[in-house]
Amino acid sequence: MKHLLLFLVLSFPSFAQTTDNQYNLIPFPAQFSGQTGQFTLSSATRIVITPAKDPAVRAVAQTVAGQIKTANGLSLSVSPTTPALAKGAHIFFSLNKKLTLGNEGYKLTITPARILAEAATPNGLFYAAQTLRQLLPAGQMTTATLPACAIADKPRFGYRGLMLDVGRHFMPVPFVKKFIDLMALHKQNTFHWHLTEDQGWRIEIKKYPKLTQVGSKRAESIVGQYSQNYPQQFDGKPVSGFYTQAEIRDVVRYAQSRFVTIIPEIEMPGHAQAALASYPELGCDPAKGYQVYTKWGVSEDVYCPSEKTFTFLQDVLTEVIALFPGKYIHIGGDECPKTAWKNSAFCQDLMKKNGLKDEHELQSYFIRRIEKFLNSKGRSIIGWDEILESGLAPNATVMSWRGTAGGIAAAKQKHTVIMSPAGTCYLDSYQGNPATEPLAIGGYLPLDQVYAYEPMPAELSAAEQKYVMGVQGNIWTEYLPTPEAVEYAAFPRAVALAEISWMPAGTHNFEDFALRLKNHLPQLDQNFGPSVPVNYAKRLFDISASTQPNAQGQLQVQLSKLDTDSRIFYTINGREPNERSTEYIGPITLTKTTTIRAMTPTGGKLTQTFTLHKGKNKPYTYAQSPAPTNDPKTNKLTDGVRGETPRDRRQWVNFFGNMDIVLDLGDVTSVTKVSLNFLKVILDKSFPPTSVNIALSKDGADFKEALTQPINYELTGPWDILPVVADFKTARARYVRIRAKNAGECPAGHPDAGQKTYFSTDEIVVE
Ligand code: ACM
């Protein structure tokens, strides 16, 4: 088995034979040795604890017995150790303070005679038990066998987190617990609970009842993405929900029993519109009529840095501190527009009085005051990386989300950091083809890219690296209205993050992970009992296609998949493929426009049309230089890949002025048709050009046969793709020139009236 080959190198001695797929552990242990034989577990097996009277060890044993009962239907009783039991075929949980594997490390030894879990802490014992649980077969059973092995394990990073946004969409308590349990199963130890937003306040605060009476309810939500409809459309469906303090205490206790620390986030100074809707006097313009925000994106209405606001926030934080025992309180700090402060006489006066030179310094003043308050209560703050601007609060931890630069800068300033860069840690992005996936916020982050993330920035010295506490995945819920949608977005990508934050640097390998994951996924279906599956995405089984020319210049299509041990079958005749179709063994050479349909027995499916046209792979030049910034290699417009949907901008080249392109077909040849598509996303200032002129030439100097096409479109309506086709019937040419005219400025009535528009096209198709 592949992962054994990989890990034997690092492990303590092992000479055992093992068979495939017995040890589908995630995260894979730091030291692992497979052994022969197996232990048989039944309801006669006990969890025997040492020291016999240790309440914390007993509590862990009972939690684990409960987990096994739910997932596997096996009832294991918990017993204090006795000389008679110590000789039996049981699971031994033994606290051993001499072990040097840290606070979370453990040893787990499974032999045919017994199972021994040892750790210096109850937390380590709990993790030994999570490993043990992963070795059990998935599903309900009366007896089970566990393959023999010897494990010594501890994490690479002390902070292994996931954030859940319950502001955009409220998530009920049973789901929050399920989410925490899934974290614990993969040894993630920090749940960052994003509790307040522009779109909803979700935590009961006794002193300010309107926060939940008013702030937890919004009238409706925007339909689709921010720029999808012009004008924006709203669904008319109210969204509400909040956690009572009793519920929060219950969730905190639940998390503690699974060694998950909860970090509550109370956003400030921005992302506060739900609080302002509840208590307008906290804003800079109380007469404005603040409502709980119904759009996604960032509201310009933020807390005014008044004494009223500081009193309010200190009162809120005092109640928050009483609910959450952990060291850290997250105070947000991100995306705080400064418009309201610029327009506020109070803010301008406050800045003068305190010698603050701009609104960024005012934000820094705001965060420092809150930090001082929280420090005085024995707590520390975490903020998103914007808190670096105009000076960090003295003891703050930075959560790096706008890439890694914030994390690097903070570590260099000797501040602790948590790495959560959007490009690799935002699990609300697309994980498969955006044209066929559920609508997401954007981005493209397949499982293997998450897994490839190395959290430790190479820019940091060894001394600076000590400030990197760990890694966090974030699940923002604008487009994830239900627990099922959250599960789909988060899993299994969160599991990939769990592994990279646990395993020793440089020891992991995606192919090996994918094989283990494939066998681990059925456990997620059974972890909460047979009727409570996890709605994880199955993109691991997807087939993807890439193209390249062969030596003769023909198009070759390569099919690949993350799930490397299954086979691919395909058709090119339009029929649905099945296991009797042609098996894919190597690149498929295409000589005409073709739709490939492919499948794998594990559920992978692909339908993709490859456009072969005379312009494909032919060079072109931009008359205006430089080329558009998102076409640096000047190849995207003839790469044969069309933009499929406005959701996914990767294929689209953006023109901020007019377009003037000359394509060289290499030889004079017949040209019957030239076509291209333009995106229409009016709210994003992406207006199709007003006219397109397509001209042909034999010599590249004298362009004739020009066809001018005006493009008429309604500004209103949903985003769209508009085609332009020039039909030349029987022309001959070597050069094709395309000129398109920018639509100018956004018209009156548009939110960006007077600002420049741009247009986007994906492929120049020459037939
Ligand atoms: C963030 O994504 N605004 C932290």
Side-chain angles (χ1 to χ4, degrees):
M1 74 187 279
K2 287 199 169 95
H3 59 263
L4 273 184
L5 289 180
L6 185 66
F7 290 103
L8 281 176
V9 181
L10 311 162
S11 66
F12 47 86
S14 162
F15 310 99
Q17 297 282 315
T18 54
T19 54
D20 267 5
N21 302 333
Q22 287 193 92
Y23 304 105
N24 296 298
L25 297 170
I26 302 178
F28 202 78
Q31 291 191 323
F32 176 85
S33 158
Q35 319 255 309
T36 46
Q38 51 202 12
F39 179 87
T40 302
L41 195 85
S42 70
S43 290
T45 311
R46 297 178 184 220
I47 302 179
V48 178
I49 61 166
T50 310
K53 295 222 166 70
D54 191 297
V57 177
R58 169 172 279 278
V60 168
Q62 277 166 338
T63 300
V64 170
Q67 289 180 318
I68 291 174
K69 174 78 184 147
T70 303
N72 306 102
L74 287 161
S75 302
L76 307 183
S77 58
V78 175
S79 304
T81 188
T82 63
L85 282 176
K87 295 198 192 82
H90 297 297
I91 301 170
F92 295 90
F93 277 20
S94 177
L95 204 61
N96 176 356
K97 299 245 157 81
K98 294 208 192 79
L99 270 192
T100 55
L101 291 165
N103 281 338
E104 297 180 299
Y106 66 91
K107 277 188 172 178
L108 178 67
T109 313
I110 300 177
T111 68
R114 67 207 303 251
I115 296 178
L116 174 61
E118 291 174 278
T121 63
N123 189 348
L125 289 175
F126 179 76
Y127 282 161
Q130 300 313 302
T131 299
L132 185 157
R133 288 180 65 209
Q134 289 192 4
L135 290 171
L136 282 167
Q140 303 285 302
M141 59 200 68
T142 49
T143 65
T145 56
L146 287 146
C149 57
I151 290 169
D153 201 9
K154 63 175 191 171
R156 176 181 180 194
F157 290 107
Y159 187 109
R160 304 176 304 281
L162 288 181
M163 185 217 74
L164 182 63
D165 164 20
V166 295
R168 273 56 177 263
H169 283 102
F170 176 73
M171 296 292 150
V173 166
F175 174 67
V176 173
K177 290 183 174 175
K178 184 183 182 189
F179 190 84
I180 289 170
D181 224 351
L182 283 165
M183 292 182 66
L185 178 65
H186 303 107
K187 304 188 176 76
Q188 287 175 306
N189 63 6
T190 311
F191 174 52
H192 169 177
W193 206 357
H194 186 82
L195 287 163
T196 71
E197 258 305 338
D198 289 321
Q199 295 85 357
W201 182 283
R202 307 282 176 222
I203 171 174
E204 178 190 28
I205 300 294
K206 305 263 192 207
K207 197 161 182 179
Y208 298 96
K210 283 197 276 184
L211 285 172
T212 43
Q213 288 163 2
V214 176
S216 74
K217 301 176 181 145
R218 72 170 176 269
E220 56 185 355
S221 310
I222 188 170
V223 174
Q225 286 193 338
Y226 195 86
S227 302
Q228 187 164 333
N229 293 290
Y230 181 70
Q232 288 170 326
Q233 304 292 309
F234 294 84
D235 64 8
K237 291 184 209 149
V239 172
S240 64
F242 68 90
Y243 307 102
T244 65
Q245 294 201 350
E247 286 172 323
I248 294 213
R249 282 197 192 89
D250 177 45
V251 172
V252 168
R253 270 193 303 272
Y254 187 88
Q256 282 172 328
S257 73
R258 281 142 178 83
F259 298 90
V260 171
T261 301
I262 303 185
I263 298 180
E265 180 177 354
I266 305 296
E267 270 267 22
M268 61 189 81
H271 289 280
Q273 194 169 317
L276 304 195
S278 313
Y279 295 97
E281 62 271 28
L282 304 175
C284 289
D285 187 5
K288 189 168 171 181
Y290 303 119
Q291 303 290 320
V292 179
Y293 208 39
T294 55
K295 299 180 187 183
W296 313 134
V298 178
S299 166
E300 293 201 331
D301 293 316
V302 304
Y303 287 118
C304 204
S306 63
E307 289 313 304
K308 247 194 205 120
T309 293
F310 285 111
T311 302
F312 165 82
L313 286 172
Q314 291 180 7
D315 289 344
V316 166
L317 290 170
T318 299
E319 293 192 31
V320 168
I321 287 167
L323 292 169
F324 294 95
K327 173 179 173 190
Y328 293 105
I329 307 285
H330 201 303
I331 50 74
D334 60 318
E335 298 180 320
C336 178
K338 304 298 187 292
T339 327
W341 292 355
K342 283 198 169 102
N343 294 335
S344 152
F346 168 81
C347 292
Q348 296 305 313
D349 188 47
L350 183 71
M351 285 161 58
K352 246 185 237 129
K353 281 191 188 129
N354 288 279
L356 305 171
K357 77 169 192 303
D358 60 18
E359 289 76 16
H360 292 284
E361 290 198 356
L362 183 53
Q363 158 139 347
S364 182
Y365 160 91
F366 196 117
I367 303 292
R368 282 166 195 261
R369 267 189 72 163
I370 295 293
E371 180 185 64
K372 203 164 167 192
F373 173 76
L374 284 170
N375 286 172
S376 79
K377 304 286 177 195
R379 302 303 179 94
S380 300
I381 69 164
I382 301 179
W384 299 106
D385 57 45
E386 285 92 332
I387 67 168
L388 277 154
E389 289 165 16
S390 297
L392 269 179
N395 307 306
T397 297
V398 170
M399 198 166 260
S400 190
W401 75 277
R402 295 173 303 172
T404 58
I408 293 165
K412 286 185 184 293
Q413 293 175 39
K414 300 189 177 1
H415 280 255
T416 42
V417 304
I418 295 151
M419 301 307 291
S420 192
T424 45
C425 293
Y426 273 36
L427 306 183
D428 54 332
S429 48
Y430 286 107
Q431 56 190 314
N433 183 357
T436 51
E437 282 293 289
L439 181 70
I441 199 161
Y444 181 67
L445 180 58
L447 182 67
D448 54 333
Q449 274 183 37
V450 176
Y451 197 82
Y453 175 50
E454 166 48 55
M456 187 58 79
E459 293 85 343
L460 297 180
S461 69
E464 289 160 351
Q465 289 187 358
K466 302 226 160 57
Y467 293 97
V468 178
M469 293 163 61
V471 193
Q472 178 172 291
N474 295 333
I475 297 125
W476 303 100
T477 57
E478 288 95 333
Y479 300 95
L480 306 174
T482 60
E484 292 72 28
V486 168
E487 289 177 356
Y488 183 87
F491 298 99
R493 288 184 292 185
V495 179
L497 277 182
E499 174 145 305
I500 64 169
S501 59
W502 182 278
M503 285 180 68
T507 61
H508 50 281
N509 157 296
F510 181 78
E511 194 176 324
D512 176 64
F513 170 73
L515 289 172
R516 280 179 282 123
L517 180 62
K518 186 171 163 177
N519 293 299
H520 176 66
L521 288 175
Q523 290 223 345
L524 300 189
D525 285 327
Q526 302 290 337
N527 192 52
F528 302 94
S531 58
V532 193
V534 176
N535 184 37
Y536 54 82
K538 299 184 175 65
R539 303 286 65 78
L540 173 66
F541 304 115
D542 279 355
I543 304 164
S544 56
S546 60
T547 62
Q548 58 180 55
N550 67 9
Q552 291 77 45
Q554 294 166 310
L555 182 70
Q556 290 201 310
V557 179
Q558 264 163 321
L559 302 181
S560 60
K561 53 201 166 40
L562 300 179
D563 163 27
T564 50
D565 70 342
S566 70
R567 298 153 76 192
I568 303 178
F569 302 90
Y570 72 97
T571 66
I572 54 170
N573 60 4
R575 297 232 178 92
E576 272 304 304
N578 58 39
E579 289 174 50
R580 291 176 306 283
S581 306
T582 309
E583 182 168 0
Y584 176 83
I585 43 167
I588 306 163
T589 303
L590 300 183
T591 52
K592 59 180 199 299
T593 294
T594 304
T595 300
I596 296 180
R597 291 168 208 273
M599 60 83 69
T600 69
T602 48
K605 272 193 192 334
L606 172 98
T607 301
Q608 195 166 330
T609 300
F610 297 86
T611 309
L612 257 76
H613 61 87
K614 290 179 178 157
K616 193 170 149 42
N617 291 330
K618 294 295 189 305
Y620 57 91
T621 52
Y622 289 102
Q624 301 142 314
S625 51
T629 50
N630 67 343
D631 188 22
K633 293 190 198 144
T634 320
N635 63 356
K636 280 168 78 170
L637 295 179
T638 52
D639 63 1
V641 189
R642 315 280 326 237
E644 284 182 86
T645 163
R647 291 177 176 190
D648 182 7
R649 305 292 174 85
R650 284 172 297 162
Q651 291 302 328
W652 298 90
V653 176
N654 300 330
F655 294 82
F656 291 87
N658 295 326
M659 167 177 168
D660 192 345
I661 284 182
V662 177
L663 171 65
D664 181 357
L665 299 172
D667 290 305
V668 174
T669 177
S670 75
V671 173
T672 55
K673 211 179 193 186
V674 176
S675 52
L676 62 171
N677 287 339
F678 293 97
L679 266 187
K680 174 192 157 191
V681 190
I682 296 303
L683 265 184
D684 196 33
K685 298 184 273 190
S686 177
F687 287 51
T690 50
S691 70
V692 179
N693 173 282
I694 300 175
L696 303 180
S697 164
K698 292 197 168 109
D699 60 6
D702 186 16
F703 279 88
K704 293 205 195 82
E705 304 272 2
L707 287 177
T708 299
Q709 304 261 353
I711 309 185
N712 298 310
Y713 54 92
E714 296 282 336
L715 286 190
T716 54
W719 60 16
D720 206 354
I721 294 176
L722 303 187
V724 170
V725 181
D727 206 335
F728 291 99
K729 306 221 162 49
T730 58
R732 290 181 64 77
R734 172 172 169 180
Y735 299 93
V736 180
R737 188 187 69 197
I738 302 178
R739 289 179 168 166
K741 199 164 160 27
N742 185 287
E745 293 172 354
C746 298
H750 190 283
D752 296 314
Q755 293 183 30
K756 280 188 175 166
T757 65
Y758 71 98
F759 63 86
S760 307
T761 189
D762 61 333
E763 181 85 1
I764 302 165
V765 178
V766 181
E767 292 167 82

